[in-house]
Amino acid sequence: MPIGRVHSDRSDLSDDYWGDITSVIRLDGRRFGPEALLGLDSFSHLEVVFHFHRVAPEKIHTGARHPRGNPDWPRAGIFAQRAKNRPNRIGVSRCKLLKVDGLDVHVRGLDAVDGTPVLDIKPYLTQFGPREEVVQPAWVDDLMRDYY
């Protein structure tokens, strides 16, 4: 069950240029009061879990495909990429916290469009980041070049 929704000027589902997008995550006032966000403003970044609600069930991928349909990149299984056409249509994003105002959480760099149901908000803690070197295929650098 969503805890709130994303409010943003961005409604197109294109994959790139999320870095300057500002959004408001508005908590459901029937379920939460401002105390649910108490202390969140002492963190610089958040992890947001959300539902890719605009992905049609028939567009879901369960096998392997070329990321973004680009044949220059190798086929990768759906769990080896961060595509929105995932089996459960769950997205996870890290973004910059700008401010908390009542039930509104203002963020920058959240890659979720207007109306997106938010399932959870967590403060980002460096201790939950990788403790060893991060390894990823070279095609990821190409894919992410213009993402943020």
Side-chain angles (χ1 to χ4, degrees):
M1 172 180 278
I3 62 165
R5 294 210 177 258
V6 172
H7 297 271
S8 170
D9 290 338
R10 179 139 176 194
S11 60
D12 71 277
L13 299 178
S14 60
D15 287 317
D16 290 323
Y17 308 112
W18 291 98
D20 291 331
I21 300 297
T22 57
S23 306
V24 175
I25 300 167
R26 183 162 296 137
L27 291 187
D28 180 348
R30 296 167 298 181
R31 295 179 56 208
F32 303 99
E35 67 276 3
L37 299 171
L38 185 64
L40 189 64
D41 60 356
S42 62
F43 294 88
S44 66
H45 290 80
L46 304 176
E47 290 182 308
V48 179
V49 181
F50 55 91
H51 183 240
F52 288 116
H53 69 298
R54 289 181 44 194
V55 173
E58 63 272 12
K59 299 287 186 178
I60 290 174
H61 293 279
T62 58
R65 67 184 185 107
H66 295 282
R68 293 194 188 175
N70 185 337
D72 293 337
W73 297 330
R75 290 178 69 234
I78 193 62
F79 298 122
Q81 51 186 293
R82 295 182 62 102
K84 60 185 165 281
N85 302 54
R86 314 184 66 67
N88 285 324
R89 299 180 292 171
I90 301 284
V92 178
S93 184
R94 291 186 181 152
C95 55
K96 171 83 173 145
L97 174 60
L98 302 175
K99 70 177 181 176
V100 175
D101 181 21
L103 295 177
D104 290 349
V105 180
H106 297 254
V107 298
R108 183 176 57 238
L110 175 62
D111 55 347
V113 297
D114 185 58
T116 297
V118 174
L119 305 176
D120 204 357
I121 300 169
K122 298 180 181 204
Y124 177 73
L125 308 177
T126 56
Q127 292 84 351
F128 280 101
R131 293 185 303 268
E132 50 281 312
E133 180 184 2
V134 174
V135 176
Q136 60 190 29
W139 61 264
V140 173
D141 291 330
D142 290 336
L143 182 137
M144 295 300 294
R145 181 164 290 117
D146 295 320
Y147 196 80
Y148 285 109

